[in-house]
Structure formats: structure tokens, C-alpha cells
Amino acid sequence: QVQLVESGGGLVQPGGSLRLSCAVSGTSLSSYRLGWYRQAPGKQREPVADITNGGSATYADSVKGRFTISRDNVKNMGFLQMNSLKPEDTADYYCNLKSLGGRDYWGKGALVTVSS
């Protein structure tokens, strides 16, 4: 079956950096649009970044200029590079795949905590 596993989360100080990875198995990443979402305590899940098969990326206003989404279809992995992290970036981060037919797959999340 299709499985998405996030890794790379942890505790980081404000201004620091983290790189999240999304390992995909059971299907080919090349067939999907890749997205990252996050959910902070007491808030709804929100989109953070998205990248198409053609490599066109979009970002939430709150992370523009600080985060970079990328994909490696050969390794079947997605990434989210997070720089200049702020306390308000603290959340569970989820990897998402969406097919042209609207089929969605989700990872179980990785916790990112930004605190001094």
C-alpha cells in the first residue's frame, strides 16, 4: 500500500533551520503533486507549500522567502527546507500527495518546535 513517512523534525532555536523529508513507498512520486501542510495546537491544518510535476512551487504568505519545497522523483522523496524559523512555525508538519484524479495520501506528521 501507499505510505508516506516524514522525518527531520525536532527542536530548533528561532532563526535556525530544519530540513523535512517525505519518503514515499507503494507508488511513484512522479505521478503526484506534492504538498506540505502544518497544524499548530488549537488551529486547523493549513497549506504551507506545494509543487507540481513540472516543478512550479507556491507558498503560504507566512513562509515565503524562508521555506523551499522540492522533490526528487528518482529517490521518490519530497523535501521542505525551512530557514529563519520563528516560534509561530511550531506545528506538526504533514506530507501530502494528490493525483490528477483527486486521490490524496497523507503522512502521519513530524513535529517541529521552534523555541529558545
Side-chain angles (χ1 to χ4, degrees):
Q1 64 265 22
V2 176
Q3 187 174 16
L4 281 61
V5 180
E6 300 95 339
S7 62
L11 175 64
V12 64
Q13 294 185 351
S17 298
L18 283 175
R19 182 178 175 86
L20 299 181
S21 298
C22 176
V24 179
S25 61
T27 192
S28 177
L29 176 59
S30 63
S31 300
Y32 299 86
R33 188 170 183 145
L34 170 70
W36 287 94
Y37 293 73
R38 69 185 182 186
Q39 186 168 22
K43 287 191 172 184
Q44 292 187 320
R45 187 176 300 185
E46 63 178 359
V48 175
D50 181 89
I51 186 169
T52 67
N53 289 350
S56 180
T58 57
Y59 300 90
D61 289 339
S62 59
V63 307
K64 284 182 179 177
R66 301 188 298 119
F67 290 13
T68 302
I69 187 172
S70 62
R71 60 193 295 156
D72 188 332
N73 290 339
V74 175
K75 295 182 178 180
N76 229 31
M77 296 186 69
F79 305 95
L80 183 68
Q81 179 67 45
M82 304 182 293
N83 299 325
S84 302
L85 283 162
K86 305 174 181 179
E88 50 263 45
D89 294 319
T90 296
D92 283 307
Y93 284 74
Y94 299 87
C95 180
N96 167 256
L97 303 185
K98 180 175 291 184
S99 71
L100 290 174
R103 183 71 178 271
D104 279 278
Y105 297 100
W106 292 89
K108 294 184 178 180
L111 178 62
V112 173
T113 302
V114 185
S115 177
S116 59

